[in-house]
């Protein structure tokens, strides 16, 4: 894991994002002690769509062709 100060992070923001996109983890340090305060990690995409739990596939919504709603009704005016 690569670490950098807040100042370095602000200066090289675009490059940091490119590095994270490639899979690198980057720690952001702050203060005199240079303690890691934040960690940037790549976004891992979900391989499967999330399930709704026990209610998955239990219901559905159907709108009839003649369903109409005015803007006032939609905005509850």
């Amino acid at each position: 894991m690569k670490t950098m100060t807040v100042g370095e992070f602000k200066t090289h923001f675009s490059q940091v994002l490119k590095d994270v996109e490639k899979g690198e983890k980057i720690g952001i340090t702050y203060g005199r002690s240079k303690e890691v305060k934040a960690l940037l990690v790549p976004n891992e995409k979900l391989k499967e769509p999330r399930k709704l739990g026990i209610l998955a596939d239990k219901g559905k919504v159907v709108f009839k062709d003649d369903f109409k709603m005015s803007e006032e009704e939609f905005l509850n005016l």
Side-chain angles (χ1 to χ4, degrees):
M1 175 177 77
K2 180 174 159 184
T3 61
M4 57 181 19
T5 65
V6 173
E8 291 173 327
F9 174 68
K10 290 190 321 185
T11 303
H12 304 289
F13 183 74
S14 297
Q15 184 60 44
V16 170
L17 288 180
K18 290 177 185 175
D19 292 344
V20 171
E21 190 176 45
K22 292 177 185 174
E24 188 171 348
K25 295 179 182 179
I26 299 178
I28 310 296
T29 60
Y30 181 75
R32 290 183 183 163
S33 64
K34 303 288 185 198
E35 182 181 347
V36 175
K37 298 291 184 176
L39 184 64
L40 293 174
V41 295
N43 183 17
E44 296 180 14
K45 299 188 182 209
L46 295 174
K47 296 183 174 76
E48 298 178 8
R50 291 180 60 184
K51 294 187 179 183
L52 298 175
I54 62 173
L55 297 178
D57 301 322
K58 299 287 183 192
K60 63 181 180 175
V61 176
V62 178
F63 291 99
K64 302 286 182 179
D65 292 335
D66 62 345
F67 176 78
K68 293 183 181 171
M69 180 183 275
S70 67
E71 289 181 20
E72 290 81 21
E73 290 174 319
F74 179 72
L75 297 174
N76 198 19
L77 298 177

Coordinates of all heavy atoms in Angstrom, one line a residue:
M1 N 0.8 -1.2 0.0 CA 0.0 0.0 0.0 C 0.9 1.2 0.0 O 1.8 1.4 0.8 CB -0.9 0.0 1.2 CG -1.7 1.3 1.4 SD -2.8 1.3 2.7 CE -1.8 1.7 4.1
K2 N 0.6 2.2 -0.9 CA 1.3 3.4 -1.0 C 0.6 4.4 0.0 O -0.6 4.4 0.1 CB 1.2 3.9 -2.4 CG 1.9 5.1 -2.8 CD 1.8 5.3 -4.3 CE 2.0 6.7 -4.7 NZ 1.8 6.9 -6.1
T3 N 1.4 5.3 0.6 CA 0.8 6.3 1.5 C 1.3 7.7 1.0 O 2.4 7.8 0.3 CB 1.3 6.2 2.9 OG1 2.7 6.3 3.0 CG2 0.8 4.9 3.5
M4 N 0.5 8.7 1.2 CA 0.9 10.1 0.8 C 0.2 11.1 1.8 O -0.9 10.7 2.3 CB 0.5 10.4 -0.6 CG -0.9 10.2 -1.0 SD -1.4 10.5 -2.7 CE 0.1 10.4 -3.6
T5 N 0.7 12.3 1.9 CA 0.2 13.3 2.7 C -1.0 13.9 2.0 O -1.2 13.7 0.8 CB 1.2 14.4 3.1 OG1 1.6 15.0 1.9 CG2 2.4 13.8 3.8
V6 N -1.8 14.7 2.8 CA -2.9 15.4 2.2 C -2.5 16.3 1.1 O -3.1 16.4 0.0 CB -3.7 16.1 3.3 CG1 -4.8 17.0 2.7 CG2 -4.3 15.2 4.3
G7 N -1.4 17.0 1.3 CA -0.9 18.0 0.3 C -0.5 17.3 -1.0 O -0.8 17.7 -2.1
E8 N 0.2 16.1 -0.9 CA 0.6 15.3 -2.1 C -0.7 14.8 -2.8 O -0.8 14.9 -4.0 CB 1.4 14.2 -1.7 CG 2.8 14.5 -1.2 CD 3.6 13.3 -0.6 OE1 2.9 12.4 -0.1 OE2 4.8 13.3 -0.8
F9 N -1.7 14.4 -2.0 CA -2.9 13.9 -2.5 C -3.6 15.0 -3.3 O -4.1 14.8 -4.5 CB -3.8 13.4 -1.4 CG -5.2 13.0 -1.9 CD1 -5.3 11.9 -2.7 CD2 -6.3 13.7 -1.5 CE1 -6.6 11.5 -3.1 CE2 -7.5 13.3 -1.9 CZ -7.7 12.2 -2.7
K10 N -3.7 16.2 -2.8 CA -4.4 17.3 -3.5 C -3.6 17.7 -4.8 O -4.2 18.0 -5.8 CB -4.5 18.5 -2.6 CG -5.5 18.3 -1.5 CD -5.8 19.6 -0.7 CE -4.8 20.5 -0.4 NZ -5.2 21.6 0.5
T11 N -2.3 17.6 -4.7 CA -1.5 18.0 -5.9 C -1.6 17.0 -7.0 O -1.6 17.4 -8.2 CB 0.0 18.2 -5.4 OG1 0.1 19.1 -4.4 CG2 0.9 18.6 -6.6
H12 N -1.6 15.7 -6.7 CA -1.6 14.7 -7.7 C -2.9 13.9 -7.7 O -2.9 12.7 -8.0 CB -0.5 13.7 -7.3 CG 0.9 14.3 -7.3 ND1 1.5 14.9 -8.3 CD2 1.7 14.6 -6.2 CE1 2.7 15.4 -8.0 NE2 2.8 15.3 -6.6
F13 N -4.0 14.6 -7.5 CA -5.3 13.9 -7.4 C -5.7 13.0 -8.6 O -6.1 11.9 -8.5 CB -6.4 15.0 -7.2 CG -7.8 14.4 -7.0 CD1 -8.2 13.8 -5.9 CD2 -8.7 14.5 -8.1 CE1 -9.4 13.2 -5.7 CE2 -10.0 13.9 -7.9 CZ -10.3 13.3 -6.7
S14 N -5.5 13.6 -9.8 CA -5.8 12.8 -11.1 C -5.0 11.6 -11.2 O -5.5 10.5 -11.5 CB -5.6 13.7 -12.3 OG -6.5 14.8 -12.3
Q15 N -3.7 11.7 -10.9 CA -2.8 10.5 -11.0 C -3.2 9.5 -9.9 O -3.2 8.3 -10.1 CB -1.4 10.9 -10.8 CG -0.4 9.7 -11.0 CD -0.5 9.1 -12.4 OE1 -0.6 9.7 -13.4 NE2 -0.5 7.8 -12.4
V16 N -3.6 9.9 -8.7 CA -4.0 9.0 -7.6 C -5.2 8.2 -8.1 O -5.3 7.0 -7.9 CB -4.3 9.8 -6.3 CG1 -5.0 8.9 -5.3 CG2 -3.0 10.4 -5.8
L17 N -6.2 8.9 -8.7 CA -7.4 8.2 -9.2 C -7.0 7.1 -10.2 O -7.6 6.1 -10.2 CB -8.4 9.2 -9.7 CG -9.1 10.0 -8.7 CD1 -10.1 10.9 -9.4 CD2 -9.8 9.2 -7.7
K18 N -6.1 7.5 -11.1 CA -5.7 6.5 -12.1 C -5.0 5.3 -11.5 O -5.2 4.2 -11.9 CB -4.7 7.2 -13.1 CG -5.4 8.2 -14.0 CD -4.4 8.8 -14.9 CE -5.1 9.9 -15.8 NZ -4.1 10.7 -16.6
D19 N -4.2 5.5 -10.4 CA -3.5 4.4 -9.7 C -4.5 3.6 -9.0 O -4.4 2.3 -9.1 CB -2.5 5.0 -8.7 CG -1.3 5.6 -9.4 OD1 -1.1 5.4 -10.6 OD2 -0.6 6.4 -8.7
V20 N -5.5 4.2 -8.4 CA -6.6 3.4 -7.7 C -7.4 2.6 -8.7 O -7.7 1.4 -8.5 CB -7.5 4.3 -6.9 CG1 -8.7 3.6 -6.3 CG2 -6.7 4.9 -5.7
E21 N -7.6 3.2 -9.9 CA -8.4 2.5 -10.9 C -7.6 1.2 -11.4 O -8.3 0.3 -11.7 CB -8.6 3.5 -12.1 CG -9.6 2.9 -13.1 CD -9.8 4.0 -14.2 OE1 -8.8 4.6 -14.7 OE2 -11.0 4.2 -14.6
K22 N -6.3 1.3 -11.3 CA -5.5 0.1 -11.8 C -5.4 -0.9 -10.7 O -4.9 -2.0 -10.9 CB -4.1 0.6 -12.1 CG -4.0 1.5 -13.3 CD -2.6 1.9 -13.5 CE -2.5 2.9 -14.7 NZ -1.2 3.5 -14.9
G23 N -6.0 -0.6 -9.5 CA -6.0 -1.6 -8.4 C -5.1 -1.3 -7.2 O -5.1 -2.1 -6.3
E24 N -4.4 -0.2 -7.2 CA -3.6 0.1 -6.1 C -4.4 0.7 -4.9 O -5.3 1.5 -5.1 CB -2.5 1.1 -6.6 CG -1.4 1.4 -5.5 CD -0.3 2.2 -6.1 OE1 -0.2 2.3 -7.3 OE2 0.5 2.6 -5.3
K25 N -4.0 0.4 -3.7 CA -4.6 1.0 -2.5 C -3.7 2.1 -2.1 O -2.4 2.0 -2.0 CB -4.7 -0.1 -1.4 CG -5.7 -1.2 -1.8 CD -5.8 -2.2 -0.6 CE -6.7 -3.3 -1.1 NZ -6.8 -4.3 0.0
I26 N -4.3 3.2 -1.7 CA -3.5 4.4 -1.3 C -4.0 4.9 0.1 O -5.2 5.2 0.2 CB -3.5 5.5 -2.3 CG1 -3.0 5.0 -3.6 CG2 -2.8 6.8 -1.9 CD1 -3.0 5.9 -4.8
G27 N -3.1 5.1 1.0 CA -3.5 5.6 2.3 C -3.1 7.1 2.4 O -2.1 7.5 1.9
I28 N -4.1 7.9 2.9 CA -3.9 9.4 3.1 C -3.5 9.6 4.5 O -4.3 9.3 5.4 CB -5.2 10.1 2.7 CG1 -5.7 9.7 1.3 CG2 -4.9 11.6 2.7 CD1 -4.8 9.9 0.2
T29 N -2.3 10.2 4.7 CA -1.9 10.5 6.1 C -2.1 12.0 6.4 O -2.2 12.9 5.5 CB -0.4 10.3 6.2 OG1 0.4 11.1 5.3 CG2 -0.1 8.8 5.9
Y30 N -2.2 12.3 7.7 CA -2.5 13.6 8.2 C -1.9 13.9 9.5 O -1.8 13.0 10.4 CB -4.1 13.8 8.3 CG -4.5 15.2 8.7 CD1 -4.4 16.3 7.8 CD2 -4.9 15.4 10.0 CE1 -4.8 17.5 8.2 CE2 -5.3 16.7 10.4 CZ -5.2 17.7 9.5 OH -5.6 19.0 9.8
G31 N -1.4 15.1 9.7 CA -0.9 15.5 11.0 C 0.6 15.2 11.2 O 1.2 14.6 10.3
R32 N 1.1 15.6 12.3 CA 2.5 15.4 12.6 C 2.9 13.9 12.7 O 4.0 13.5 12.4 CB 2.9 16.1 13.9 CG 2.8 17.6 13.8 CD 3.3 18.2 15.2 NE 3.2 19.6 15.1 CZ 3.2 20.4 16.1 NH1 3.3 19.9 17.3 NH2 3.0 21.7 16.0
S33 N 2.0 13.1 13.2 CA 2.3 11.7 13.4 C 2.2 10.9 12.1 O 2.5 9.8 12.1 CB 1.3 11.1 14.4 OG 0.0 11.2 13.9
K34 N 1.7 11.6 11.0 CA 1.6 10.9 9.7 C 0.7 9.7 9.8 O 1.0 8.7 9.2 CB 2.9 10.6 9.1 CG 3.8 11.8 8.9 CD 3.4 12.7 7.8 CE 4.4 13.8 7.6 NZ 3.9 14.9 6.9
E35 N -0.3 9.7 10.6 CA -1.2 8.6 10.8 C -2.2 8.5 9.6 O -2.7 9.5 9.2 CB -2.0 8.8 12.1 CG -3.0 7.7 12.4 CD -3.8 8.0 13.7 OE1 -3.4 8.9 14.5 OE2 -4.7 7.3 13.9
V36 N -2.4 7.3 9.1 CA -3.3 7.1 8.0 C -4.7 7.4 8.5 O -5.3 6.7 9.4 CB -3.2 5.7 7.4 CG1 -4.2 5.5 6.3 CG2 -1.8 5.5 6.9
K37 N -5.4 8.4 7.8 CA -6.7 8.8 8.2 C -7.8 8.3 7.2 O -8.9 8.2 7.5 CB -6.8 10.3 8.3 CG -6.0 11.0 9.3 CD -6.5 10.6 10.7 CE -5.6 11.4 11.7 NZ -6.1 11.2 13.1
A38 N -7.4 8.0 6.0 CA -8.3 7.5 5.0 C -7.6 6.5 4.1 O -6.3 6.6 3.9 CB -8.8 8.7 4.1
L39 N -8.3 5.7 3.5 CA -7.8 4.7 2.6 C -8.6 4.6 1.3 O -9.8 4.5 1.3 CB -7.8 3.3 3.3 CG -7.2 2.1 2.5 CD1 -5.7 2.3 2.3 CD2 -7.4 0.9 3.3
L40 N -8.0 4.8 0.2 CA -8.6 4.7 -1.1 C -8.4 3.3 -1.7 O -7.3 2.9 -1.8 CB -8.1 5.8 -2.1 CG -8.4 7.2 -1.8 CD1 -7.6 8.1 -2.7 CD2 -9.8 7.5 -1.8
V41 N -9.5 2.7 -2.0 CA -9.4 1.3 -2.6 C -10.2 1.3 -3.9 O -11.2 2.0 -4.0 CB -9.9 0.3 -1.6 CG1 -9.0 0.2 -0.4 CG2 -11.3 0.5 -1.2
P42 N -9.9 0.4 -4.8 CA -10.6 0.3 -6.0 C -12.1 -0.2 -5.8 O -12.3 -0.9 -4.8 CB -9.9 -0.8 -6.8 CG -8.6 -1.0 -6.1 CD -8.7 -0.5 -4.7
N43 N -13.0 0.3 -6.6 CA -14.3 -0.1 -6.5 C -14.5 -1.4 -7.1 O -14.3 -1.6 -8.3 CB -15.2 1.0 -7.2 CG -16.7 0.7 -7.1 OD1 -17.1 -0.1 -6.3 ND2 -17.5 1.3 -7.9
E44 N -14.9 -2.4 -6.3 CA -15.2 -3.7 -6.8 C -16.6 -3.8 -7.2 O -17.5 -3.7 -6.4 CB -14.8 -4.8 -5.8 CG -13.4 -4.8 -5.4 CD -13.0 -5.8 -4.4 OE1 -13.9 -6.7 -4.1 OE2 -11.9 -5.7 -3.8
K45 N -16.9 -4.1 -8.5 CA -18.2 -4.2 -9.0 C -18.9 -5.5 -8.5 O -18.2 -6.5 -8.4 CB -18.3 -4.1 -10.5 CG -17.7 -2.8 -11.0 CD -17.9 -2.6 -12.5 CE -17.3 -1.3 -12.8 NZ -17.8 -0.7 -13.9
L46 N -20.2 -5.4 -8.2 CA -20.9 -6.6 -7.8 C -21.0 -7.5 -9.0 O -21.3 -7.1 -10.1 CB -22.3 -6.2 -7.3 CG -22.3 -5.4 -6.1 CD1 -23.7 -4.9 -5.8 CD2 -21.7 -6.1 -4.9
K47 N -20.7 -8.8 -8.8 CA -20.8 -9.8 -9.8 C -22.2 -10.2 -10.1 O -22.5 -10.5 -11.2 CB -19.9 -11.0 -9.5 CG -18.4 -10.6 -9.3 CD -17.6 -11.7 -9.1 CE -16.2 -11.4 -9.1 NZ -15.3 -10.9 -8.5
E48 N -23.0 -10.2 -9.1 CA -24.4 -10.5 -9.2 C -25.3 -9.4 -8.7 O -24.9 -8.7 -7.8 CB -24.7 -11.8 -8.4 CG -24.0 -13.0 -8.8 CD -24.3 -14.2 -7.9 OE1 -25.3 -14.1 -7.1 OE2 -23.7 -15.2 -8.0
P49 N -26.5 -9.2 -9.3 CA -27.3 -8.2 -8.7 C -27.7 -8.5 -7.3 O -27.8 -9.7 -6.9 CB -28.6 -8.3 -9.6 CG -28.3 -9.1 -10.8 CD -27.0 -9.9 -10.4
R50 N -27.9 -7.5 -6.5 CA -28.2 -7.8 -5.1 C -29.6 -8.3 -5.0 O -30.5 -7.9 -5.7 CB -28.1 -6.5 -4.3 CG -26.7 -6.0 -4.2 CD -26.6 -4.7 -3.4 NE -27.2 -4.9 -2.1 CZ -27.3 -3.9 -1.2 NH1 -26.9 -2.7 -1.5 NH2 -27.8 -4.2 0.0
K51 N -29.8 -9.2 -4.0 CA -31.2 -9.8 -3.8 C -31.9 -9.0 -2.8 O -31.3 -8.4 -1.9 CB -31.0 -11.3 -3.4 CG -30.5 -12.1 -4.5 CD -30.5 -13.6 -4.1 CE -29.9 -14.4 -5.2 NZ -30.0 -15.8 -5.0
L52 N -33.2 -9.0 -2.8 CA -34.0 -8.2 -1.9 C -34.3 -9.0 -0.6 O -35.1 -8.6 0.2 CB -35.3 -7.8 -2.5 CG -35.2 -6.9 -3.8 CD1 -36.5 -6.7 -4.4 CD2 -34.6 -5.6 -3.4
G53 N -33.6 -10.1 -0.4 CA -33.9 -10.8 0.9 C -35.1 -11.7 0.7 O -35.4 -12.3 -0.3
I54 N -35.8 -11.8 1.8 CA -37.0 -12.8 1.8 C -38.1 -12.4 0.9 O -39.0 -13.2 0.6 CB -37.5 -13.0 3.3 CG1 -38.0 -11.7 3.8 CG2 -36.4 -13.6 4.1 CD1 -38.7 -11.9 5.2
L55 N -38.1 -11.1 0.5 CA -39.2 -10.6 -0.4 C -38.8 -10.7 -1.9 O -39.6 -10.3 -2.7 CB -39.6 -9.2 0.0 CG -40.1 -9.0 1.4 CD1 -40.4 -7.5 1.7 CD2 -41.4 -9.8 1.6
A56 N -37.7 -11.2 -2.2 CA -37.2 -11.3 -3.6 C -38.2 -12.1 -4.4 O -38.6 -13.2 -4.0 CB -35.8 -11.9 -3.7
D57 N -38.6 -11.6 -5.5 CA -39.6 -12.3 -6.4 C -40.9 -12.6 -5.8 O -41.6 -13.5 -6.3 CB -38.9 -13.6 -7.0 CG -37.6 -13.3 -7.7 OD1 -37.5 -12.3 -8.4 OD2 -36.7 -14.2 -7.5
K58 N -41.3 -11.9 -4.8 CA -42.6 -12.1 -4.2 C -43.7 -11.2 -4.7 O -44.9 -11.4 -4.4 CB -42.5 -12.0 -2.6 CG -41.6 -13.0 -2.0 CD -42.1 -14.3 -2.0 CE -41.1 -15.3 -1.3 NZ -41.4 -16.6 -1.4
G59 N -43.3 -10.1 -5.3 CA -44.3 -9.1 -5.7 C -43.9 -8.4 -7.0 O -42.8 -8.6 -7.5
K60 N -44.9 -7.7 -7.6 CA -44.6 -7.0 -8.8 C -45.5 -5.8 -8.9 O -46.5 -5.7 -8.2 CB -44.7 -7.8 -10.1 CG -46.1 -8.4 -10.3 CD -46.2 -9.2 -11.5 CE -47.6 -9.7 -11.8 NZ -47.7 -10.5 -13.0
V61 N -45.1 -4.8 -9.7 CA -45.9 -3.6 -9.9 C -46.3 -3.6 -11.4 O -45.5 -3.8 -12.3 CB -45.1 -2.3 -9.6 CG1 -45.9 -1.1 -9.9 CG2 -44.6 -2.4 -8.2
V62 N -47.6 -3.3 -11.6 CA -48.2 -3.3 -13.0 C -48.9 -2.0 -13.1 O -49.8 -1.7 -12.3 CB -49.1 -4.5 -13.3 CG1 -49.7 -4.3 -14.6 CG2 -48.3 -5.8 -13.1
F63 N -48.6 -1.2 -14.1 CA -49.3 0.1 -14.4 C -50.2 -0.2 -15.6 O -49.8 -0.6 -16.6 CB -48.4 1.2 -14.7 CG -47.6 1.7 -13.5 CD1 -46.3 1.2 -13.2 CD2 -48.2 2.5 -12.5 CE1 -45.6 1.6 -12.1 CE2 -47.5 2.9 -11.4 CZ -46.2 2.5 -11.2
K64 N -51.5 0.1 -15.4 CA -52.4 -0.1 -16.6 C -52.2 1.0 -17.6 O -51.6 2.1 -17.3 CB -53.9 0.0 -16.0 CG -54.2 -1.0 -15.0 CD -54.4 -2.3 -15.6 CE -54.8 -3.3 -14.5 NZ -55.0 -4.6 -14.9
D65 N -52.6 0.7 -18.8 CA -52.4 1.7 -19.9 C -53.1 3.0 -19.7 O -52.7 4.0 -20.2 CB -52.8 1.0 -21.3 CG -51.9 -0.1 -21.7 OD1 -50.7 -0.1 -21.2 OD2 -52.3 -1.0 -22.4
D66 N -54.3 2.9 -19.0 CA -55.1 4.1 -18.8 C -54.7 4.9 -17.5 O -55.4 5.8 -17.1 CB -56.6 3.8 -18.8 CG -56.9 2.8 -17.7 OD1 -56.0 2.2 -17.1 OD2 -58.1 2.7 -17.4
F67 N -53.6 4.5 -16.9 CA -53.2 5.2 -15.7 C -52.6 6.6 -16.0 O -51.8 6.7 -16.8 CB -52.1 4.4 -15.0 CG -51.5 5.0 -13.7 CD1 -52.2 5.0 -12.5 CD2 -50.3 5.7 -13.8 CE1 -51.7 5.6 -11.4 CE2 -49.8 6.4 -12.7 CZ -50.5 6.3 -11.5
K68 N -53.2 7.6 -15.3 CA -52.8 8.9 -15.5 C -52.7 9.6 -14.2 O -53.5 9.4 -13.3 CB -53.7 9.7 -16.5 CG -53.7 9.1 -17.9 CD -54.6 9.9 -18.8 CE -54.6 9.3 -20.2 NZ -55.5 9.8 -21.1
M69 N -51.7 10.5 -14.1 CA -51.6 11.3 -12.9 C -51.1 12.7 -13.3 O -50.1 12.8 -14.1 CB -50.5 10.7 -12.0 CG -50.3 11.5 -10.7 SD -49.0 10.7 -9.6 CE -50.0 9.5 -8.8
S70 N -51.7 13.7 -12.8 CA -51.3 15.1 -13.1 C -50.1 15.5 -12.4 O -49.7 14.8 -11.4 CB -52.4 16.1 -12.8 OG -52.6 16.2 -11.4
E71 N -49.4 16.5 -12.8 CA -48.2 17.0 -12.0 C -48.6 17.4 -10.6 O -47.8 17.2 -9.7 CB -47.6 18.1 -12.8 CG -46.9 17.7 -14.1 CD -46.2 18.9 -14.8 OE1 -46.0 19.9 -14.1 OE2 -45.9 18.8 -16.0
E72 N -49.7 18.0 -10.4 CA -50.2 18.4 -9.1 C -50.4 17.2 -8.2 O -50.0 17.3 -7.0 CB -51.5 19.3 -9.2 CG -51.3 20.6 -9.8 CD -51.3 20.6 -11.3 OE1 -51.8 19.6 -11.9 OE2 -50.8 21.6 -11.9
E73 N -51.0 16.2 -8.7 CA -51.1 15.0 -7.9 C -49.8 14.3 -7.6 O -49.5 13.9 -6.5 CB -52.0 13.9 -8.7 CG -53.4 14.3 -8.8 CD -54.2 13.4 -9.7 OE1 -53.7 12.9 -10.7 OE2 -55.3 13.0 -9.3
F74 N -48.9 14.3 -8.6 CA -47.6 13.7 -8.4 C -46.8 14.5 -7.3 O -46.1 13.9 -6.5 CB -46.8 13.7 -9.7 CG -45.4 13.2 -9.6 CD1 -45.2 11.8 -9.4 CD2 -44.3 14.0 -9.6 CE1 -43.9 11.3 -9.3 CE2 -43.0 13.5 -9.5 CZ -42.8 12.1 -9.3
L75 N -46.9 15.8 -7.4 CA -46.1 16.7 -6.4 C -46.9 16.9 -5.1 O -46.4 17.6 -4.2 CB -45.8 18.0 -7.1 CG -44.9 18.0 -8.3 CD1 -44.8 19.3 -9.0 CD2 -43.6 17.4 -7.9
N76 N -48.1 16.4 -5.0 CA -49.0 16.5 -3.8 C -49.3 17.9 -3.5 O -49.1 18.4 -2.4 CB -48.3 15.8 -2.6 CG -49.3 15.5 -1.6 OD1 -50.5 15.5 -1.8 ND2 -48.8 15.2 -0.4
L77 N -49.7 18.7 -4.5 CA -50.0 20.1 -4.3 C -51.5 20.3 -4.1 O -52.3 19.6 -4.5 CB -49.6 20.9 -5.5 CG -48.1 20.9 -5.8 CD1 -47.8 21.7 -7.0 CD2 -47.3 21.5 -4.6

